[in-house]
Amino acid sequence: MAVTLADVAARAGVSPATVSRVLSGSYPVTEGTRGRVLRAVAELEYVVDGPASALAGAGSDLVGILVNDLADPFFGVLAAAVQGELGGAAGLGGEKLAVVCGTGGSPQRELDYLTHLQRQRAAAVVLTGGAPEDSGHARALAARVARLAEAGTRVVLCGRPPQDPEVAAAVPPAAGRARAAVPPVTLAFDNRGGARRLTAHLLALGHRRIGCVAGPAGRTTTAERLAGHRDALAAHGIVDVPARTVPGAYDRSSGYDAALELLRRQPDLTAVVAANDTAALGVCAALRDRGLRIPEDVSVAGFDDLPFSVDAAPALTTVRLPLREAGARAGRLALGRAVAPPGGVATLSAELLVRESTGPVRPGAATAGGGGGAVSGRVGSGRSGG
């Protein structure tokens, strides 16, 4: 049986009228009372009726798109591609309204947005980018996704790993509802394979002292790309030296700082792989400030093939992820306009793009302070990553 307003009131120890006041926000209540009511709502997974159902209804036109950072070109490309598929067409369900939600990388905010979208009875939800490597969050996310699916909301994971089947199976169905027949569809990126090919490219050029500007710790995208880098080193019999890896955010300033730290630790580096293209631009700027040339002294490579990467000078060697294609496919899947892949999971390939920022290793390269004008990207600071 569905949870009612009276159930929430009983759990919170208040009257149903007080619950209505808290949820509508139209009457003042004490902070203590408000906190008890909101805790009861969360614990019982109560979905608000009334204004929300009148707005959204059973045939909601809302499609939620969750991204880590609204200013990040990685997520901007994905979200724009999803939204581009939401236009109406005769017989296909009509126009849908995209609601882009920026989580700021906060796991709790991601969960909160999913709850809000459930209350608005969203037609579909697309979660983009990597996920936190946290078992507690994985369980909480599986529960939110299950509730959305049980309510008829299509859920698509785009650019993140599929849910752990055991974690998803452990989520009990909501009271009075059968388990959802349609599990979330996953469009994952081959981050590990792409990173392996990128490092293998540098090794084929003769580089052996390769620094790695990794992404933020505790994210699946970071773990996958770092694993691919290490796979390539191991395949060539090269020991992974911990001092040659520096973590950081997916932005230009982190790439800059990490490159300086790598040069401090290992001044004889001949190449650097960055977590993404934006961080790679920061690496280029740091090398320029140290008087090093790219690729004559140090080769630099990025990841993602963001729009500006080809316009860097020299153009960045990188790994292309099919961001536009993935976003468009996710949009079609969210609206039921495309057939789900076998098993509900598709892994999208990552393509190595060799450009001018990488070259053969040279004897005596990467001596800090030597060389002439180096290279920097033609864009300012920015953020990007999965």
Side-chain angles (χ1 to χ4, degrees):
M1 186 174 179
V3 176
T4 66
L5 194 76
D7 295 328
V8 176
R11 174 67 67 92
V14 298
S15 68
T18 298
V19 174
S20 294
R21 293 189 185 103
V22 170
L23 297 179
S24 68
S26 55
Y27 296 92
V29 295
T30 66
E31 284 302 313
T33 299
R34 173 182 169 80
R36 292 202 308 276
V37 169
L38 293 180
R39 280 194 299 274
V41 167
E43 291 168 359
L44 297 175
E45 297 179 350
Y46 174 65
V47 177
V48 181
D49 288 319
S53 60
L55 173 64
S60 170
D61 289 331
L62 296 178
V63 174
I65 306 172
L66 271 64
V67 302
N68 280 2
D69 187 347
L70 294 169
D72 185 326
F74 177 97
F75 294 105
V77 172
L78 280 176
V82 174
Q83 187 172 4
E85 296 294 323
L86 303 186
L92 292 180
E95 187 84 20
K96 299 297 181 183
L97 175 64
V99 179
V100 182
C101 309
T103 67
S106 165
Q108 184 57 52
R109 191 173 297 173
E110 180 176 82
L111 298 176
D112 291 343
Y113 275 130
L114 291 176
T115 298
H116 290 317
L117 289 166
Q118 180 191 356
R119 291 172 180 170
Q120 293 295 324
R121 291 171 171 77
V125 174
V126 179
L127 290 90
T128 67
E133 291 189 304
D134 177 81
S135 59
H137 178 76
R139 290 191 296 271
L141 179 65
R144 298 296 198 285
V145 168
R147 298 297 169 257
L148 284 161
E150 289 165 359
T153 299
R154 290 190 178 91
V155 180
V156 180
L157 310 180
C158 183
R160 67 167 58 195
Q163 287 186 314
D164 184 327
E166 293 185 3
V167 172
V171 178
R177 292 185 177 178
R179 183 175 297 278
V182 182
V185 176
T186 299
L187 301 178
F189 293 134
D190 184 18
N191 286 302
R192 185 167 185 165
R196 181 174 59 248
R197 287 187 285 276
L198 184 62
T199 298
H201 161 67
L202 292 171
L203 292 167
L205 292 173
H207 296 278
R208 294 298 181 267
R209 300 185 300 277
I210 304 172
C212 179
V213 177
R219 303 291 300 185
T220 55
T221 300
T222 299
E224 291 166 356
R225 295 182 184 182
L226 189 55
H229 170 66
R230 289 169 172 166
D231 288 345
L233 294 178
H236 287 74
I238 298 174
V239 176
D240 176 35
V241 179
R244 292 178 184 165
T245 298
V246 176
Y250 290 113
D251 58 37
R252 185 182 184 278
S253 62
S254 292
Y256 184 97
D257 293 341
L260 292 182
E261 177 62 17
L262 283 171
L263 290 175
R264 185 189 68 79
R265 297 178 184 180
Q266 301 272 298
D268 58 349
L269 290 176
T270 65
V272 177
V273 291
N276 62 2
D277 294 338
T278 312
L281 293 186
V283 172
C284 289
L287 294 174
R288 176 197 65 214
D289 289 349
R290 293 294 296 269
L292 297 168
R293 301 167 298 166
I294 302 168
E296 291 84 358
D297 298 318
V298 182
S299 288
V300 178
F303 208 106
D304 293 335
D305 190 33
L306 296 174
F308 57 77
S309 63
V310 71
D311 293 321
L316 276 175
T317 290
T318 187
V319 172
R320 179 185 180 272
L321 294 181
L323 299 178
R324 289 185 178 84
E325 296 89 335
R329 186 176 177 183
R332 294 192 296 272
L333 286 165
L335 299 182
R337 299 177 185 174
V339 177
V345 179
T347 300
L348 308 183
S349 62
E351 178 187 3
L352 174 65
L353 297 179
V354 178
R355 296 183 178 132
E356 291 78 21
S357 68
T358 54
V361 67
R362 293 187 180 185
T367 301
V375 176
S376 65
R378 292 177 184 167
V379 300
S381 62
R383 288 162 287 183
S384 173

